[in-house]
Amino acid sequence: MTKNTYKRRLRGRVAVFVALAAVAIALDQVTKALALARLGNGVSVALPGPLHGLRLVRNPGASLGLGSGSTWVISLIALAACLLIIVLALRTTSMVWTLALSLAFSGAAGNLIDRVAYASGFLDGAVVDFLDYGWSVGNVADIYLTLAGVVVVVLIACNVQFSGRSQTTEHGGAAK
């Protein structure tokens, strides 16, 4: 692969990553805004099926409320995860890996936005959760994180290459 072809493909993957992340984060934030507007004051909405209903919960912790006393630490970990995902997205040559990484970024960033937007101190804001599963309450960003995790496991199980770049393309020298 020539250097120009590699750069063109990289720009395409970056565009897909950014576009998917923008749409996904916007959807997450809109659903959270709707939940805040419609589910305040203890309002709960029952739904048929596996989703028990809609119920507003502000979660200062991580999954299942774990670490609720260390919200700022969770926020810093989420920030580090977002940065790492961006680095990985720039290194992959696979579009399917780009999509999985974009979903993971969207989930982590969506919940990080809550921790910043609703903070009264240093990164101590709570995540807006509203999808009541009976055993936990989550949000759209959590769905993205779960989907990304499943996709990554499938990609690894199916041995889908993360990067197909040869050492010739990567370093400008002959492959060993």
Side-chain angles (χ1 to χ4, degrees):
M1 177 182 332
T2 68
K3 196 170 188 175
N4 286 338
T5 302
Y6 175 76
K7 284 183 180 182
R8 188 171 20 88
R9 288 184 180 172
L10 175 62
R11 281 193 300 270
R13 286 190 309 277
V14 167
V16 167
F17 180 95
V18 170
L20 177 57
V23 169
I25 291 169
L27 179 62
D28 173 63
Q29 292 301 303
V30 165
T31 59
K32 289 174 180 175
L34 287 170
L36 286 169
R38 304 271 168 93
L39 298 174
N41 301 322
V43 173
S44 185
V45 177
L47 296 174
L51 191 63
H52 282 233
L54 304 175
R55 178 172 57 102
L56 183 63
V57 175
R58 293 180 183 256
N59 180 4
S63 181
L64 303 174
L66 298 173
S68 58
S70 304
T71 301
W72 67 273
V73 174
I74 295 166
S75 299
L76 288 177
I77 291 169
L79 178 61
C82 286
L83 294 173
L84 176 62
I85 291 167
I86 290 170
V87 169
L88 291 172
L90 290 171
R91 290 189 176 176
T92 188
T93 57
S94 166
M95 185 58 80
V96 70
W97 274 100
T98 298
L99 294 170
L101 291 167
S102 184
L103 269 180
F105 175 83
S106 300
N111 285 337
L112 182 59
I113 288 168
D114 290 7
R115 295 187 187 283
V116 172
Y118 304 117
S120 59
F122 180 68
L123 298 175
D124 67 350
V127 172
V128 175
D129 288 335
F130 60 93
L131 300 172
D132 188 350
Y133 297 103
W135 55 274
S136 76
V137 182
N139 58 44
V140 174
D142 298 336
I143 294 170
Y144 299 153
L145 288 167
T146 303
L147 285 173
V150 169
V151 170
V152 166
V153 168
V154 169
L155 292 175
I156 291 169
C158 294
N159 202 27
V160 175
Q161 280 193 327
F162 182 80
S163 176
R165 288 187 285 174
S166 68
Q167 290 182 358
T168 303
T169 304
E170 222 173 281
H171 304 292
K176 294 182 181 178

